[in-house]
Each structure stands twice: as structure tokens, then as C-alpha cells.
Amino acid sequence: AGAASASLHAVGGGAAPIHATAHVIEAHSFSAGITPRTAEAAILRDADRLETLERMLATDEKIPLAATRGSH
């Protein structure tokens, strides 16, 4: 999130879009424990979870119980 914020700032991004982008990046991982505050953050988090579950099922990896618990 920090690198993205710096890059957006360097190209003249405004404070609100930079903050929103950083939140999406920070909240996308369920292990981070950050509750998404925007639809964009929730969508990316859910897409990341689905991708992880798909990979685990495709490779017969065991799915950790924490990965199946929603924080909605």
C-alpha cells in the first residue's frame, strides 16, 4: 500500500483516491484482519479468497478453517 501511495502521489494523485487505493490494498487479505470499508475493498478481498480456494481445491491442498470464515 505504501509503494502504491507513493507512486500515485508522484503522478499527482489526489489525497482521497490515494487513501482509498491504499485501503483496498491493505484490506484485501483476510489474514490482515482489516474490515473492508468500501465496496471496492470487499470485492478485491472476496476475489482473493475465491482465487485462493480455487487453487487449493485444484491442488488438493487442505483449506485452513480460518480461510472459510467470513468477516462480513
Side-chain angles (χ1 to χ4, degrees), residues 1-63:
S5 294
S7 294
L8 291 171
H9 181 71
V11 296
I18 291 173
H19 180 69
T21 301
H23 172 68
V24 168
I25 294 168
E26 292 165 347
H28 90 280
S29 172
F30 62 85
S31 63
I34 298 171
T35 301
R37 296 186 309 260
T38 64
E40 295 84 358
I43 289 167
L44 182 61
R45 182 209 51 203
D46 292 348
D48 190 51
R49 285 180 177 179
L50 289 171
E51 182 180 33
T52 299
L53 291 171
E54 178 184 38
R55 187 187 72 245
M56 292 172 140
L57 292 170
T59 59
D60 289 329
E61 289 181 48
K62 292 188 179 182
I63 300 171

